[in-house]
């Protein structure tokens, strides 16, 4: 059993936000009841179309995405997606949220107070939207987490960006502001010239570079180091994310100090990866 805030997980393996839809899309692919928790696609107050295509690129050791937080918005999420997900599984549901301003995070957290969910993951680290990334500043991180903390008793996980000089400092601010846990890392900022990809992988003829975030096996060792550094500097649980594909990867993250993990890109390669890992973990 793994404890994160008030939340008790039957195993340490969760599915990462944005890589598992709203959970319901995957109901026929795997047994959702086996997962430690489901973290739903980041939602914002209003629906978002996301960035123009192309926005997903397959690469030799992972992928780059530039989705830009496409989502149905809080209202539809609460009316359609969450009730359906709760109907089909008893697995803890953690709702990922984002906002353009502190007040948007607070509004969403306030509305989520009325819902029976297992926690909130504050995505303050998405590299694919305009405006600044909150988790690049310890002051901004402190302010948004503190303000949301005052509004909610839900277990609060704060998701951090790797794109900083000292991630421990940011994690400490989140902890000081009342986060129950930090999760890291979000994707690593990157760029692609789409036409430079081989013909078989080409998704468009655009000549402009596309900015996005890298994920998958080639970020694992970046993530591992950040998790190690953060684990040494905060007392709250650290959730490791980045390139996890198998039991060995999970063991590395646990050894680096993580209490639990999230699987992201692995779900696109084979949605059975989280379940296979859970089966392979020693009880
Ligand atoms: C296509 C795609 C969409 C993503 N969307 C979100 C999102 O909506 N919210 C979020 O917090 N992270 C999002 N992420 C980041 C992942 O949750 C995860 O932090 C990152 O991909 C690193 O883990 P991985 O290497 O296992 O994929 C997304 C990643 C991918 C590949």
């Amino acid at each position: 059993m793994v404890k994160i805030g008030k939340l008790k997980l039957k195993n340490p393996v969760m599915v990462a936000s944005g890589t598992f839809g709203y959970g319901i899309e995957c109901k026929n692919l795997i047994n959702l009841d086996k997962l430690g928790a489901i973290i739903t696609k980041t939602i914002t107050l209003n629906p978002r179309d996301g960035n123009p295509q192309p926005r997903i690129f397959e690469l030799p050791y992972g992928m780059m995405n530039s989705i830009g937080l496409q989502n149905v918005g809080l209202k539809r999420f609460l009316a359609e997606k969450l009730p359906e997900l709760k109907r089909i599984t008893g697995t803890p549901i953690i709702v990922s949220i984002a906002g353009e301003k502190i007040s948007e995070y607070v509004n969403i957290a306030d509305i989520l107070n009325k819902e029976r969910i297992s926690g909130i993951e504050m995505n303050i680290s998405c590299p694919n939207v305009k405006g600044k990334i909150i988790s690049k500043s310890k002051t901004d991180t402190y302010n948004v987490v503190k303000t949301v903390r005052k509004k909610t008793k839900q277990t609060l996980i704060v998701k951090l960006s790797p794109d900083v000089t000292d991630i421990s400092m940011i994690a400490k601010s989140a902890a000081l502001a009342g986060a129950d846990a930090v999760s890291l890392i979000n994707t690593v900022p990157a760029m692609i010239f789409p036409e430079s990809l081989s013909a078989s992988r080409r998704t468009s003829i655009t000549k402009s570079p596309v900015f996005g975030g890298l994920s998958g096996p080639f970020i694992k060792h970046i993530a591992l180091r950040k998790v190690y550094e953060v684990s040494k500097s905060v007392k709250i649980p650290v959730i490791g994310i980045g390139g996890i594909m198998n039991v060995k990867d999970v063991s590395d993250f646990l050894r680096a100090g993580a209490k639990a993990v999230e699987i992201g890109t692995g779900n696109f390669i084979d949605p059975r990866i989280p379940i296979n890992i859970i089966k392979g973990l020693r009880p």
Side-chain angles (χ1 to χ4, degrees), residues 44 46-51 68-73 100 128-130:
T44 47
N46 298 312
R48 287 175 61 99
D49 292 335
N51 295 331
L69 296 186
Q70 177 189 16
N71 77 95
V72 296
E100 281 172 22
N128 303 325
V129 285
K130 287 200 191 87

Side-chain angles (χ1 to χ4, degrees), residues 27-270:
K27 67 177 177 193
N28 296 324
L29 298 175
I30 61 165
N31 182 353
L32 301 179
D33 292 341
K34 301 268 183 225
L35 297 169
I38 296 170
I39 306 186
T40 49
K41 169 78 193 156
T42 298
I43 45 149
T44 47
L45 207 49
N46 298 312
R48 287 175 61 99
D49 292 335
N51 295 331
Q53 303 280 359
R55 54 191 195 179
I56 289 222
F57 302 89
E58 195 184 330
L59 296 165
Y61 296 105
M63 59 195 277
M64 191 192 97
N65 90 83
S66 154
I67 305 284
L69 296 186
Q70 177 189 16
N71 77 95
V72 296
L74 182 64
K75 204 168 156 201
R76 262 189 75 195
F77 173 76
L78 293 180
E80 298 167 21
K81 312 291 182 187
L82 187 59
E84 172 70 0
L85 185 56
K86 285 207 290 205
R87 198 180 58 73
I88 59 178
T89 183
T91 285
I93 299 166
I94 296 170
V95 177
S96 169
I97 67 169
E100 281 172 22
K101 322 185 266 258
I102 290 186
S103 59
E104 197 178 331
Y105 281 94
V106 173
N107 278 343
I108 302 174
D110 195 23
I111 293 167
L112 287 176
N113 275 328
K114 294 178 209 91
E115 300 294 327
R116 269 192 308 108
I117 55 171
S118 294
I120 293 176
E121 184 176 71
M122 291 175 65
N123 177 3
I124 56 168
S125 47
C126 180
N128 303 325
V129 285
K130 287 200 191 87
K132 64 179 179 178
I133 297 176
I134 296 173
S135 69
K136 281 190 171 192
S137 148
K138 64 175 186 179
T139 312
D140 293 348
T141 298
Y142 181 84
N143 288 340
V144 72
V145 177
K146 184 88 186 163
T147 320
V148 170
R149 177 75 289 172
K150 278 188 202 146
K151 263 285 179 244
T152 183
K153 290 201 163 58
Q154 310 267 17
T155 292
L156 206 57
I157 302 168
V158 178
K159 185 164 178 179
L160 304 181
S161 166
D163 191 24
V164 289
T165 312
D166 184 355
I167 194 163
S168 301
M169 211 167 66
I170 311 286
K172 277 184 198 160
S173 295
L176 194 65
D180 292 302
V182 282
S183 56
L184 55 133
I185 56 176
N186 209 319
T187 54
V188 179
M191 187 189 99
I192 275 176
F193 291 115
E195 79 279 10
S196 71
L197 298 175
S198 68
S200 61
R201 291 210 178 94
R202 190 183 301 167
T203 51
S204 115
I205 316 289
T206 174
K207 291 271 187 252
S208 320
V210 177
F211 300 106
L214 286 183
S215 62
F218 56 5
I219 69 163
K220 174 185 158 185
H221 292 274
I222 300 174
L224 206 55
R225 178 168 170 170
K226 305 267 180 204
V227 164
Y228 184 80
E229 288 173 4
V230 169
S231 303
K232 293 254 171 291
S233 37
V234 295
K235 292 203 170 68
I236 55 174
V238 176
I239 301 168
I241 325 167
I244 298 173
M245 299 287 147
N246 52 43
V247 173
K248 164 81 172 53
D249 294 332
V250 174
S251 309
D252 285 349
F253 274 91
L254 298 181
R255 206 175 148 192
K259 289 277 174 298
V261 295
E262 297 178 19
I263 316 286
T265 300
N267 295 313
F268 292 107
I269 295 168
D270 179 353

